Amino acid sequence: MKKNVRASMSDAQKFSRVKREAIYTGLALIGLIIFWLIAGFGTASLDVKIFHLPLWALLGSVGVWFFAIIISAVLSKILFRDMDLGGEDDGK
């Protein structure tokens, strides 16, 4: 049985990893807000309709959800790692 490498991380290493994940999550939120602004307000002047709805309405609502799902998938596959944060009540 292989030893869990993540369990041997120091508290400082765990904190550093959690901090990095939080920073990238914040950057993802900023990217999502920028996408929402461009998709919603940036396309408002276009006279494009999909299913009888203006393009800005679809991109500013449903498009943002799809973009958020993509960002979440990328973050979870590339950046986030499972690690044991430990605690006094572990194993109970």
Side-chain angles (χ1 to χ4, degrees):
M1 182 177 213
K2 291 184 179 182
K3 183 178 179 181
N4 188 355
V5 177
R6 287 175 250 139
S8 64
M9 292 174 64
S10 70
D11 286 343
Q13 290 172 321
K14 291 176 185 178
F15 179 75
S16 176
R17 184 175 295 246
V18 168
K19 183 179 175 183
R20 186 183 69 173
E21 290 178 1
I23 289 170
Y24 280 108
T25 302
L27 291 174
L29 174 62
I30 292 170
L32 187 62
I33 291 169
I34 290 171
F35 176 82
W36 173 70
L37 289 171
I38 292 171
F41 296 107
T43 60
S45 63
L46 299 176
D47 190 29
V48 177
K49 295 191 182 218
I50 299 174
F51 301 115
H52 304 288
L53 292 171
L55 180 63
W56 65 266
L58 285 174
L59 290 179
S61 57
V62 178
V64 173
W65 283 103
F66 284 122
F67 191 64
I69 291 169
I70 291 169
I71 288 175
S72 299
V74 168
L75 284 176
S76 66
K77 291 288 183 187
I78 294 175
L79 180 70
F80 296 164
R81 297 289 178 252
D82 188 22
M83 65 180 161
D84 181 22
L85 295 177
E88 295 176 13
D89 60 349
D90 283 351
K92 289 186 179 180

